[in-house]
Amino acid sequence: MVHSIAAIDIALWDLAGKLWNVPVYRLMGGPTRDRIRVYHTDKAKKVPPHGIYKHSGTPADIDHMVKAIARAREQVGPDGAVMFDAHSAVPPATLIQLAAALKPYDLLFLEEPAVPGNIEVFKRLKQHINIPLATGERDRTIWGVIPYLQEGVIDILQPDCNHTGGISQMRKIAVLAEAYHVPIAPHCTATFLGIAASLHVVSSIPLFLIHEFYPKNAGFNVPGLTRMDFKLDKQGYIGLPPGPGLGVEVDEKLLEQESKKPQSYRWPGAKLKDGSIADY
Amino acid sequence: MKNRRECLASLGIAAGSLAGLGFGPSMNQAMGAQDKKNPAANVADKTATIKITKLTATPMQRKVFLKLETNQGVTGWGEIDQLETRTAATLARSLFELLDGENPTRIEYLWQKVYRSHRDMRGGPFMTHTLAGFDMALWDITGKLWGVPVYRLLGGPTRDKVLMYPTPKATKVGAGPSPFAGTPQQIQQHVKNIENARKRVGPDGMVMFDAHCALPPPFLIQLAAAIKPYNVLYIEEPAVPGNIEVFKRLKQHIPIPLAVGEQARTIWDVIGYLQAGVADILQIDCAHTGGISQLRKIATLGEAYQVPLSPHCVTTDLGATASLHVSAAIPLFLIHEYYASISPRGLVKKNWSIDKEGYASLPEGPGLGCVVDEAVLAKLAKTPSPPEWPTRGRLPDGSISDY
């Protein structure tokens, strides 16, 4: 439901911005900043959990992840940001061990430390892990987010504009986060339509950390289908999203062509080595 | 990209025929941006070159009116309430340093710039009440620039009309300020007042009781038990803010909804009540809490805890209209306070009215949709109004009480 509402909500803001001939962030009291810090860049890298479906909890398994993170830190240097995405795939006990080993690499945050659903798991992890915890891509409304904040288990919130009901709801989540001094680092794997919607939100809220940004990932973004002007500077920032509205152009002809292609969706279906189903 | 005119042109319609196409009066109002009478209609570049150029802060009776001007002839109005007026006007003029030359449509940025300007004044009432005046004026300017009522910039309207009180069907009985003795006779007096109010409004009306922080907790608990039969909508300000434990105790013993918030100034003041589950209704005041921007954020917190907003309001029609724009744009709302008698005659021309059932029509814009008569304002400003510190809170023994 909320993913569908998100698309409608984003279109409505686009329309309103175009009607009044302004970028969406200007309808929301923005801009609150001049440019937006994004990743991945030369100065900000996120490391995925290697062998996402293969966690065995052995020293070799942990060492593998530590090495990847050490490499990322080397690449970005001491003035860069390294993030680790546990992707809800690393069991709590292993994650606690891993986090202890990661301490020297100064992670910006540890993402999705556990599968959402049982706040007690997050409390346990927060107690044992001395690295900021980030989560939120699977939490869909203000009501999904409030327990993390109330229990103080999350340091950084990662709402996804396209998951959470769009610009309207993401903005509300940012307000809750502001009340708890928790910055927003939006999750984003959408096309420029979704990217722009999310960028307009962070252009108009006070408390923000860094934005996930994959402009050229063909997996999310069919080349040429959606277009948005942006420029990445050397420090890893992009400018404010253009307008009016979202400031995105959709190639409707290409959209029609793409939609005519046979849709080859495959359910992810993560499995462990023994053939059982894994979280991912 | 198409701008509004091109969008409409591509629909093959002219502005005059909008009403016939199902656009409401608000949409026609939006077209007011093209009207010669709205200076904003002629601003070609509304984002890059528009700048705040001037502030006029005018103390008037117990309020301060703020007028913000821009280099494009578009002006915005705001109201500072509940501060000593000379102090407030001076503070506003000083803070204007932070707004001068800025783009007035960057409301959230400017809110943060003022609010966080001084770490040790952050969040205090002098700061937030003054900021409220600025915030209202910035929304007013921005609405005028885009040619729409402010509630449309807030994603509204979420409702067609806004329920108001006091009306013949919704009345509030006050407890304070009154010397408090705690005798049965005094309890009976309050009970009698509430019983009479219930008789007046009938079973389909609303009675609220304002404890006004004036009744000590044990007394309020006794009183609450005695007024149970009269189905009070809520008890307002059951205790002085500051110690959440007092609210927890009252919540545990009083089976009537508790309303708090007129002295809560930011999201951070409000979250404690919500997290402790002691507030059933939030009575935030737009003019106390940093204006439209912060009132709206507080409404979002209320929504997360399913606690409706019932705004406190003792401003002139200018501040009341600002508050109404928020009520017109949020999902969870109960009832809005409003006293027409607070506005000096002829000072503010507002763009909404209250119907027989006690509902206000949506405040139409552009902007706040209020016109301030500057000649009347100048005249009122000349009438001496010496600063008046309330001295009502006195007990019979001469000691100071809450009120």
Side-chain angles (χ1 to χ4, degrees):
Chain A
M1 175 61 93
V2 285
H3 292 230
S4 303
I5 295 177
I8 295 168
D9 182 88
I10 290 168
L12 291 174
W13 281 101
D14 190 24
L15 201 67
K18 283 171 179 163
L19 269 173
W20 301 326
N21 204 20
V22 289
V24 169
Y25 63 73
R26 289 214 178 259
L27 299 178
M28 306 191 287
T32 45
R33 47 187 45 78
D34 304 324
R35 52 183 190 156
I36 300 166
R37 188 182 179 202
V38 296
Y39 69 92
H40 295 171
T41 67
D42 292 343
K43 282 290 156 205
K45 297 214 177 298
K46 193 157 86 180
V47 178
H50 279 265
I52 194 166
Y53 316 131
K54 291 180 180 129
H55 288 286
S56 54
T58 62
D61 185 21
I62 289 177
D63 197 43
H64 192 152
M65 290 186 273
V66 173
K67 281 207 177 106
I69 288 158
R71 266 198 307 279
R73 171 54 70 200
E74 245 171 65
Q75 280 163 14
V76 302
D79 61 339
V82 178
M83 299 149 267
F84 175 67
D85 186 356
H87 221 269
S88 306
V90 184
T94 309
L95 190 64
I96 290 167
Q97 277 183 287
L98 172 64
L102 292 181
K103 200 73 195 66
Y105 307 107
D106 285 308
L107 289 182
L108 184 65
F109 58 71
L110 199 163
E111 178 170 338
E112 287 210 296
V115 182
N118 182 353
I119 194 77
E120 299 303 323
V121 178
F122 287 85
K123 285 191 203 169
R124 177 184 168 206
L125 293 173
K126 186 72 207 146
Q127 199 170 18
H128 291 289
I129 295 179
N130 204 7
I131 295 171
L133 298 182
T135 207
E137 72 175 81
R138 304 200 219 176
D139 300 291
R140 284 179 178 94
T141 59
I142 45 177
W143 299 284
V145 163
I146 202 94
Y148 296 120
L149 298 171
Q150 184 146 334
E151 296 295 343
V153 295
I154 281 300
D155 301 283
I156 288 138
L157 258 186
Q158 299 185 294
D160 186 310
C161 192
N162 292 84
H163 298 184
T164 196
I167 291 170
S168 302
Q169 191 71 190
M170 181 163 162
R171 259 192 108 196
K172 289 185 177 182
I173 288 174
V175 171
L176 295 192
E178 188 191 349
Y180 285 89
H181 296 287
V182 168
I184 300 281
H187 178 269
C188 187
T189 53
T191 70
F192 276 123
L193 275 175
I195 293 173
S198 188
L199 290 176
H200 280 283
V201 175
V202 303
S203 300
S204 65
I205 61 172
L207 196 58
F208 161 76
L209 186 64
I210 193 166
H211 201 291
E212 195 166 24
F213 186 63
Y214 306 119
K216 287 177 189 154
N217 190 323
F220 314 133
N221 214 347
V222 177
L225 179 61
T226 56
R227 282 192 300 271
M228 181 189 84
D229 289 334
F230 72 93
K231 207 178 149 197
L232 181 69
D233 69 21
K234 278 182 190 162
Q235 287 126 359
Y237 290 77
I238 57 169
L240 299 176
L246 295 173
V248 175
E249 288 187 58
V250 178
D251 185 333
E252 296 192 48
K253 272 190 188 153
L254 185 55
L255 177 63
E256 204 185 328
Q257 280 170 27
E258 283 290 322
S259 68
K260 277 182 189 154
K261 288 184 184 169
Q263 299 300 306
S264 56
Y265 183 80
R266 293 182 64 184
W267 293 96
K271 286 190 178 176
L272 297 181
K273 279 180 192 166
D274 65 358
S276 64
I277 305 300
D279 290 314
Y280 79 98
Chain B
M1 293 299 150
K2 288 174 181 171
N3 64 23
R4 174 178 58 228
R5 240 170 297 182
E6 287 161 352
C7 279
L8 294 171
S10 71
L11 290 169
I13 51 177
S17 63
L18 279 174
L21 281 160
F23 286 87
S26 313
M27 201 59 217
N28 283 328
Q29 199 63 249
M31 300 312 296
Q34 311 302 330
D35 191 332
K36 288 278 184 292
K37 281 180 201 160
N38 178 3
N42 305 315
V43 180
D45 183 348
K46 295 171 182 176
T47 53
T49 57
I50 186 156
K51 284 184 171 57
I52 300 169
T53 52
K54 192 179 172 191
L55 167 74
T56 312
T58 311
M60 179 279 305
Q61 295 179 355
R62 288 163 72 178
K63 324 286 182 192
V64 178
F65 269 45
L66 297 184
K67 180 187 180 189
L68 276 181
E69 293 176 58
T70 62
N71 60 349
Q72 307 275 22
V74 185
T75 57
W77 287 90
E79 177 174 353
I80 304 176
D81 197 14
Q82 307 280 31
L83 295 185
E84 193 279 295
T85 53
R86 292 173 310 179
T87 314
T90 305
L91 179 58
R93 287 173 200 132
S94 173
L95 286 169
F96 180 67
E97 182 187 316
L98 300 168
L99 302 178
D100 196 7
E102 290 278 12
N103 180 329
T105 70
R106 297 185 71 181
I107 304 170
E108 179 67 20
Y109 169 74
L110 294 176
W111 196 95
Q112 300 283 336
K113 193 178 180 192
V114 173
Y115 182 77
R116 288 150 84 174
S117 57
H118 192 302
R119 68 195 310 276
D120 297 316
M121 269 195 268
R122 178 183 168 134
F126 276 83
M127 182 59 94
T128 60
H129 290 220
T130 307
L131 183 47
F134 285 133
D135 185 86
M136 290 175 201
L138 293 173
W139 281 104
D140 192 22
I141 290 172
T142 306
K144 284 172 180 166
L145 276 173
W146 307 157
V148 290
V150 167
Y151 65 74
R152 285 209 177 260
L153 298 177
L154 306 174
T158 48
R159 47 185 49 79
D160 304 326
K161 49 189 182 173
V162 182
L163 188 60
M164 310 293 272
Y165 78 90
T167 66
K169 281 286 159 206
T171 186
K172 195 154 85 180
V173 176
S178 58
F180 156 75
T183 60
Q185 190 188 37
Q186 208 176 25
I187 290 188
Q188 272 320 305
Q189 189 53 54
H190 288 307
V191 174
K192 197 88 199 143
N193 291 344
I194 290 164
E195 187 185 1
N196 287 341
R198 171 53 69 197
K199 272 187 201 151
R200 279 200 308 276
V201 300
D204 61 338
M206 298 172 181
V207 177
M208 296 149 261
F209 179 68
D210 186 357
H212 220 268
C213 302
L215 306 180
F219 181 77
L220 187 63
I221 291 167
Q222 276 184 288
L223 175 63
I227 61 178
K228 195 77 193 61
Y230 308 108
N231 285 307
V232 170
L233 183 68
Y234 56 70
I235 295 178
E236 176 171 341
E237 289 211 295
V240 182
N243 183 353
I244 194 74
E245 299 304 322
V246 177
F247 288 85
K248 287 188 196 169
R249 177 183 171 207
L250 292 173
K251 186 71 209 144
Q252 199 173 16
H253 291 290
I254 298 180
I256 296 172
L258 299 182
V260 302
E262 84 174 68
Q263 299 181 53
R265 283 170 182 103
T266 60
I267 47 177
W268 299 286
D269 285 348
V270 168
I271 199 83
Y273 294 118
L274 295 172
Q275 185 148 334
V278 296
D280 299 286
I281 286 126
L282 284 177
Q283 292 190 298
I284 312 303
D285 189 313
C286 188
H288 297 183
T289 194
I292 290 169
S293 301
Q294 192 70 185
L295 179 58
R296 192 169 175 239
K297 288 186 179 184
I298 290 172
T300 298
L301 296 191
E303 188 190 349
Y305 285 87
Q306 301 189 6
V307 171
L309 196 69
S310 176
H312 177 271
C313 185
V314 290
T315 49
T316 71
D317 285 351
L318 180 63
T321 302
S323 185
L324 263 187
H325 278 283
V326 176
S327 295
I330 61 172
L332 196 58
F333 164 82
L334 186 63
I335 194 167
H336 196 293
E337 191 170 24
Y338 171 66
Y339 304 102
S341 59
I342 291 173
S343 287
R345 189 182 294 268
L347 178 60
V348 182
K349 194 173 153 229
K350 61 182 172 56
N351 219 346
W352 51 275
S353 56
I354 300 178
D355 69 16
K356 277 183 193 159
E357 290 171 302
Y359 288 92
S361 58
L362 295 180
E364 293 306 339
L368 294 176
C370 288
V371 179
V372 177
D373 188 324
E374 297 191 54
V376 175
L377 179 62
K379 208 171 150 192
L380 285 164
K382 277 183 197 148
T383 315
S385 52
E388 184 190 326
W389 292 100
T391 50
R392 324 182 249 188
R394 287 288 168 96
L395 296 182
D397 66 359
S399 64
I400 305 300
S401 81
D402 291 312
Y403 79 98

